[in-house]
Amino acid sequence: MMNIEDNKLIQQIGEILEKNKDAEKGYNTAAENADDPELKELFLKRSNERKDFNIRLKREVDSNYGELSKEGTYKEALRRTWMDAKSFVAGKDDLFLLENVIRGETASLEEYEELMKAKHLPIMLSQIIQNHLIKIRTDIIQIKSMKQKLEK
């Protein structure tokens, strides 16, 4: 039987798994709407990375805690979205897409940082989360740089 800390940890991980699914879909949507071929390629690559994030994270969680129950674990996370698909109706220019991606990635970064504060994180899970954190930080820097280029 899991203790309260494990339950909280699993809930946090469930939220991150949902956030990564949202990011995967958001990046795909951004790729479909981007005008710049370089941005399209970047967004598709990031979409695939977020899918890979979930595969690795879920595999490690399942090996440590058993298979997650999507219904119970993700219930609250389903209300949040990484990037609201409705926002694309308002504008589809590349600068707008980059701003939405930055907002979504910043939210993901905050959730990963919160998860790293967990006291009883298994070592392999901690390493996976740390690698994801580094990648998300790097992505934010790269995307902000691309946004600055477009603003000129």
Side-chain angles (χ1 to χ4, degrees), residues 5 11-13 15 27-28 30 42 47 66 68 78 105-106 110 124 133 135 141 149:
E5 287 180 14
Q11 182 179 357
Q12 285 178 289
I13 292 169
E15 290 173 6
Y27 272 124
N28 270 327
L42 173 80
S47 176
L68 294 179
L78 289 173
E105 289 292 54
T106 301
E110 290 169 3
M124 287 301 295
L133 263 170
K135 182 64 179 135
I141 291 167
K149 276 196 239 176

Side-chain angles (χ1 to χ4, degrees), residues 20-82:
N20 285 338
K21 284 181 189 177
D22 287 344
E24 179 186 346
K25 291 175 187 173
Y27 272 124
N28 270 327
T29 303
E32 290 169 6
N33 289 286
D35 292 325
D36 185 294
E38 184 181 357
L39 273 183
K40 282 183 183 288
E41 184 179 327
L42 173 80
F43 291 152
L44 287 174
K45 182 177 178 185
R46 295 300 175 269
S47 176
N48 288 330
E49 285 174 352
R50 292 316 180 266
K51 183 177 184 177
D52 187 54
F53 275 16
N54 266 10
I55 291 168
R56 292 171 190 255
L57 188 56
K58 185 160 180 354
R59 184 182 314 135
E60 192 60 33
V61 170
D62 289 350
S63 72
N64 282 282
Y65 301 101
E67 195 165 330
L68 294 179
S69 164
K70 181 173 179 170
E71 223 172 277
T73 307
Y74 304 151
K75 196 173 189 179
E76 289 301 310
L78 289 173
R79 284 194 238 154
R80 291 188 245 176
T81 58
W82 183 83

Side-chain angles (χ1 to χ4, degrees), residues 53 56 112 116 124-137:
F53 275 16
R56 292 171 190 255
Y112 269 94
M116 282 302 297
M124 287 301 295
L125 189 55
S126 177
Q127 289 175 346
I128 289 169
I129 293 165
Q130 188 65 40
N131 289 340
H132 290 185
L133 263 170
I134 292 166
K135 182 64 179 135
I136 292 169
R137 285 185 185 122

